[in-house]
Amino acid sequence: MEAKKRLLIVAHVPSPNTLKLRQAAEQGARHEDIESVEVKVMAPLDAGPEDVLACDAIILGTTENLGYMSGALKDFFDRSYYPCFEKTQGLPFAYYIRAGHDGTGTNRAIESITTGLRWKLIQEPLICRGEYRDEFEEQCRELGMYVAASLDAGLV
């Protein structure tokens, strides 16, 4: 029997709405048709390099805070960058941003860090802009499903 692939979801959830987004991404990743993917969900302050080193793909979730990613996600990157730098090149990843404004600075910051890590973006960034809309949850669900299904099928 083949070992399950591991998908790590690291998402900052400071509000009920951002919790809904993380839960939607997890629901998508745990879709009943996806059989050989194990999903682990963690808060950025609880996740570290050992979790990244143990996964086969990662989904990041953050809020836009003052035009930048959340401090919690930045802390996760600060603690994980150098321990993961040489060992996770090519790691498939995707991310979503809950942006009250346009998400540009947050997107640029995540791009910069993940480019330095040489991770492989497998889906265009999902930027949930403006006032909260229920459709954001479906978009996060689809993102989770896409990443997990890609792992399940051996595409990434």
Side-chain angles (χ1 to χ4, degrees):
M1 189 167 140
E2 193 174 313
K4 287 192 171 203
K5 300 279 181 93
R6 293 165 301 220
L7 172 60
L8 177 63
I9 299 175
V10 177
H12 182 58
V13 292
S15 71
N17 284 339
T18 54
L19 177 59
K20 289 178 188 177
L21 299 182
R22 190 198 67 202
Q23 289 172 332
E26 180 181 3
Q27 288 167 358
R30 294 184 188 278
H31 189 278
E32 64 185 22
D33 292 338
I34 299 169
E35 299 175 348
S36 63
V37 176
E38 178 183 303
V39 179
K40 184 175 185 180
V41 178
M42 301 185 78
L45 295 175
D46 296 331
E50 63 282 351
D51 300 299
V52 178
L53 293 168
C55 77
D56 297 296
I58 188 169
I59 296 174
L60 304 168
T62 187
T63 51
E64 173 186 58
N65 292 9
L66 303 172
Y68 197 72
M69 73 182 86
S70 70
L73 189 63
K74 176 64 167 74
D75 177 77
F76 163 76
F77 278 128
D78 287 346
R79 290 179 292 104
S80 301
Y81 191 91
Y82 288 108
C84 294
F85 180 70
E86 294 287 330
K87 299 175 183 165
T88 61
Q89 293 180 13
L91 180 70
F93 83 104
Y95 61 96
Y96 66 88
I97 298 168
R98 173 63 192 111
H101 298 290
D102 68 3
T104 303
T106 307
N107 189 46
R108 189 177 315 116
I110 293 172
E111 273 182 354
S112 176
I113 293 169
T114 56
T115 297
L117 286 166
R118 297 188 186 125
W119 288 0
K120 179 183 172 188
L121 185 65
I122 60 170
Q123 180 75 11
E124 286 299 311
L126 171 58
I127 304 177
C128 303
R129 290 183 177 93
E131 293 294 318
Y132 189 86
R133 297 188 305 274
D134 291 339
E135 69 191 53
F136 294 159
E137 293 167 44
E138 184 55 35
Q139 292 168 338
C140 285
R141 192 172 293 105
E142 288 174 7
L143 179 69
M145 191 180 326
Y146 173 84
V147 174
S150 295
L151 264 180
D152 193 41
L155 299 175
V156 295

